[in-house]
Amino acid sequence: MKIEVEKINELIETKKFTELKQTLLEMNSADISLLLDELNKNEAIKVFRILPKEKAGETFSFMEKDMKEKLIQELTDLELKNVLDELYMDDTVDLIEEMPSNVVTRILKSIPKEDRKTVNELLNYPEDSAGSIMTTEFIDLKENMTVEKALERIKELAIDSETIYTCYVLSTNRELIGMVDIKEILIADRDKTIKELMDTNIITVTTSEDQEEVAKTFDKYNLYALPVVDKENRLVGIITVDDAINVLQDETSEDFEKMAAMSPNEEGYFETSVFKHAKNRIVWLLVLMLSAIMTGTIISRYEDAFAIVPILVSFIPMIMDTGGNCGSQSSTLIIRGLATDEIEMKDVFKVLWKEIRVSLLVGTVLALVNGIRIFIQYKDIKIALTIGLTLVVTVALAKAIGCLLPMLAKKLKLDPAIMAAPLITTLVDTFSILVYFNIATSILGIK
Amino acid sequence: MKIEVEKINELIETKKFTELKQTLLEMNSADISLLLDELNKNEAIKVFRILPKEKAGETFSFMEKDMKEKLIQELTDLELKNVLDELYMDDTVDLIEEMPSNVVTRILKSIPKEDRKTVNELLNYPEDSAGSIMTTEFIDLKENMTVEKALERIKELAIDSETIYTCYVLSTNRELIGMVDIKEILIADRDKTIKELMDTNIITVTTSEDQEEVAKTFDKYNLYALPVVDKENRLVGIITVDDAINVLQDETSEDFEKMAAMSPNEEGYFETSVFKHAKNRIVWLLVLMLSAIMTGTIISRYEDAFAIVPILVSFIPMIMDTGGNCGSQSSTLIIRGLATDEIEMKDVFKVLWKEIRVSLLVGTVLALVNGIRIFIQYKDIKIALTIGLTLVVTVALAKAIGCLLPMLAKKLKLDPAIMAAPLITTLVDTFSILVYFNIATSILGIK
């Protein structure tokens, strides 16, 4: 990329526009969009204007929000109209949703009249629903068409369709009754009817379906496109696999953020302001900080114990950390399992039983290693026993809490991802300190 | 699903096989594979045997490892041959890689002679490389073919090709020189040549490319299929988008596991034995436990301080947890940013500067809330000041460590995901306890 930026800059400076155009035409639109990011604003606009209409539209659809906004402000009305002409409906709708209102007004004015109604309908679907990410440009066929006729229609509609790989067969009142892969059409005899070729066993989603479910459906059935129907089973749009991948990536990022105790954020790391970053992080930090005070209160109740055996205090971090880590391991596995549908609610006892067995194995090893170390270092079998026993109980508790809470969240229709490391750690801390001091006072005979 | 299982069971019991077959034909292969999981072994095999050849192959490719193994052991040689016939090369190779050796021997015997060489070649590519996930069934055209001629060839090859959506144009020595979308071929005049239609700006990967990079390439360029070439730019296979989604999901699960201090595991949660689960988790737990001992040692050095002011001990969990949580927030954002290529190595100072500003905002709020609470509860301005100051410094340190370590890991060509919550927490613990007792002894004037 580095070299290309320099080369492009040189071509602009020396006004070698024919050569510039040739270089750009040989580049992929996604790469041109990255290149524009590296150029300064004026040069970026110059380069964009050189692109032929179709390539310009494609490049535009790959751009980051900021670049799109900058560009729209510089384009003439006609240029903007040309770009919008090339965008598929779903991209137009995405654009409108992310632009500030003054830019939106200009965009809406530049959308061809016949598309305005569709755009408005798409804008009305709830955020993150199948309706909000679908596009309306697909190939529709009738069941009584011959293959010959169908091929003609595909040719007609191809330019404006986002995909021609799957064609949809509609009844006279636009109900979805079948689906044909372009492959089936190509290899069939010309006089066969679409009815003979079409597959009537169709996977569909409704417009209100959550986009995360949509993405999972793609993964489950290995789909390239997914038809979206309304309540009357009329085909209203399709979602293509590239959009499903974007959803999958966004939802994963959201899970990561939630699991690290942050409010999910749709914007990129650099696009988000310092203030907004702080806001996204502070709520959970406050909640968790105040919860940790509970653990502190418990500790202060045992002041006498650690006044008598001060070394007890020095094991607190180790016990807390180990408990927290064991809990996070379990909760992470369960959260991910629930997200990929590998683990279901009915598996709760199977999971618990597995985690308990794992925790006994893990707890015993940790207890032995640490018990032996402590015995060698302090020559005190009672303290070694205290720590060993505490570790076994803490690990078992941590793993039980770690696997049950995400499932409880799911049961309560909450996102399991909030029951991740930070919350689990704070909860496990409280329990592990209680366990620790109870075992310590019993074994060491202090009160 | 519940109802279908009962219905299928009933149809088997009452021996209504025609109706059973009809019901199965109306189901999607992915759903049939889930259904077989719910049936007992004998019934599952009965149902599988009823499926027509093509559907059986498709259903088989959706199955989990265990089901595949059970089934293969029951199938006759001819039945196994029929199933393998229907699988694409990449699925056959996956199957061989996951089956135990006695099953593999049977599979290799049942693969048609002409495919054996290809299978062996594919098996030789390193695990997780582009070569290991590609398939060899694609449509190849020549540049001097007319559209008419190309359509004939596509018809011929279509049945055995995993996708016909993109066709690849090869030179006489099988170098990849162009790519045509089936859409372009369909809408073009019959006497045009492929050379006129083909796109010469092709995104390719080499056989040794890491599968994670392959998946990212799909996402970056919105691809449906990606050609894989050898060192001489000869086309040796293609990867389709459904495989890319699987890789994306697997790599994400791996990141989640690493970030929760576990060794990554390719098998599912339930498929993995208790012993293996324990093994995957114990290594990091031991490392982290022993590191936490360092924090304990530091605490024990300040025995005198908390003997004089015992309340100091009760703040340890809160300071440790807050530090850990702040560090995890930053490390999670950076790890995810690096994984999606949003953050690059050159951004290190930009990231650090952003995190420092965020941490000052967040730290100040946390310090104020906690300082005020402590002042109200204990009426001790010095302790309030100690805790407040400790929080500000700890948060700043935690966020700096949290953002720098993943980038350092990347620089050292390690996976940034290992620098996640658990390790960051342990490190931040040590620092925060040091900061805490230093500030405490200074402000409270104890030694």
Side-chain angles (χ1 to χ4, degrees), chain A residues 53 65 91 180 185 200 215 316 441:
Chain A
K53 200 178 161 216
K65 185 186 142 195
D91 291 329
V180 209
I185 298 180
T200 53
I316 293 179
T441 46

Side-chain angles (χ1 to χ4, degrees), chain B residues 193-256:
Chain B
T193 63
I194 291 301
K195 193 177 179 178
E196 291 170 82
L197 302 180
M198 74 183 186
D199 190 351
T200 53
N201 157 34
I202 325 165
I203 313 289
T204 61
V205 289
T206 56
T207 50
S208 57
E209 186 66 270
D210 187 83
Q211 62 172 1
E212 191 168 0
E213 287 306 315
V214 170
K216 278 189 196 173
T217 307
F218 270 88
D219 190 23
K220 181 174 171 194
Y221 295 104
N222 288 350
L223 303 174
Y224 281 67
L226 179 61
V228 184
V229 294
D230 64 12
K231 280 180 203 141
E232 280 79 39
N233 197 36
R234 281 179 305 221
L235 184 63
V236 285
I238 60 165
I239 297 168
T240 47
V241 66
D242 51 315
D243 296 318
I245 292 182
N246 286 341
V247 169
L248 218 52
Q249 294 283 63
D250 289 349
E251 295 286 338
T252 305
S253 293
E254 210 182 292
D255 275 356
F256 272 112

Side-chain angles (χ1 to χ4, degrees), chain B residues 110-279:
Chain B
S110 307
I111 292 176
K113 250 196 197 129
E114 64 271 24
D115 289 346
R116 259 178 237 172
K117 198 171 149 253
T118 316
V119 167
N120 277 323
E121 276 168 14
L122 290 177
L123 282 169
N124 273 329
Y125 288 110
E127 204 188 350
D128 297 343
S129 69
S132 75
I133 55 169
M134 72 187 183
T135 192
T136 50
E137 294 110 331
F138 50 81
I139 307 245
D140 56 333
L141 304 175
K142 295 262 173 285
E143 59 176 343
N144 54 7
M145 278 181 176
T146 58
V147 167
E148 179 90 43
K149 206 88 192 139
L151 277 170
E152 273 169 35
R153 178 154 179 88
I154 294 171
K155 264 194 197 178
E156 241 171 68
L157 296 178
I159 302 250
D160 285 323
S161 292
E162 184 155 357
T163 177
I164 66 153
Y165 302 157
T166 316
C167 306
Y168 301 92
V169 188
L170 304 187
S171 70
T172 40
N173 49 358
R174 300 197 65 77
E175 277 168 335
L176 179 63
I177 52 175
M179 218 171 66
V180 208
D181 195 290
I182 189 74
K183 180 168 160 177
E184 304 299 326
I185 298 181
L186 272 178
I187 60 180
D189 291 334
R190 290 308 174 90
D191 51 0
K192 275 208 171 170
T193 63
I194 291 301
K195 193 177 179 178
E196 291 170 82
L197 302 180
M198 74 183 186
D199 190 351
T200 53
N201 157 34
I202 325 165
I203 313 289
T204 61
V205 289
T206 56
T207 50
S208 57
E209 186 66 270
D210 187 83
Q211 62 172 1
E212 191 168 0
E213 287 306 315
V214 170
K216 278 189 196 173
T217 307
F218 270 88
D219 190 23
K220 181 174 171 194
Y221 295 104
N222 288 350
L223 303 174
Y224 281 67
L226 179 61
V228 184
V229 294
D230 64 12
K231 280 180 203 141
E232 280 79 39
N233 197 36
R234 281 179 305 221
L235 184 63
V236 285
I238 60 165
I239 297 168
T240 47
V241 66
D242 51 315
D243 296 318
I245 292 182
N246 286 341
V247 169
L248 218 52
Q249 294 283 63
D250 289 349
E251 295 286 338
T252 305
S253 293
E254 210 182 292
D255 275 356
F256 272 112
E257 283 161 4
K258 279 192 194 158
M259 288 172 75
M262 287 175 280
S263 311
N265 187 10
E266 291 203 355
E267 289 176 347
Y269 178 82
F270 293 114
E271 282 173 41
T272 308
S273 69
V274 168
F275 187 75
K276 186 148 185 223
H277 267 298
K279 204 180 122 208

Side-chain angles (χ1 to χ4, degrees), chain A residues 410-428:
Chain A
K410 175 116 186 183
K411 186 88 198 166
L412 299 174
K413 309 233 180 282
L414 296 169
D415 188 337
I418 59 167
M419 298 295 187
L423 193 61
I424 300 283
T425 303
T426 308
L427 279 172
V428 170

Side-chain angles (χ1 to χ4, degrees), chain A residues 4 88 116 232:
Chain A
E4 282 172 39
Y88 293 115
R116 261 180 236 171
E232 280 79 41

Side-chain angles (χ1 to χ4, degrees), chain A residues 11-24 46-47 50:
Chain A
L11 290 175
I12 298 176
E13 269 167 45
T14 53
K15 295 198 193 320
K16 288 184 179 154
F17 293 118
T18 332
E19 203 181 325
L20 177 59
K21 188 166 179 178
Q22 198 47 47
T23 312
L24 292 171
K46 267 185 207 156
V47 169
I50 286 177

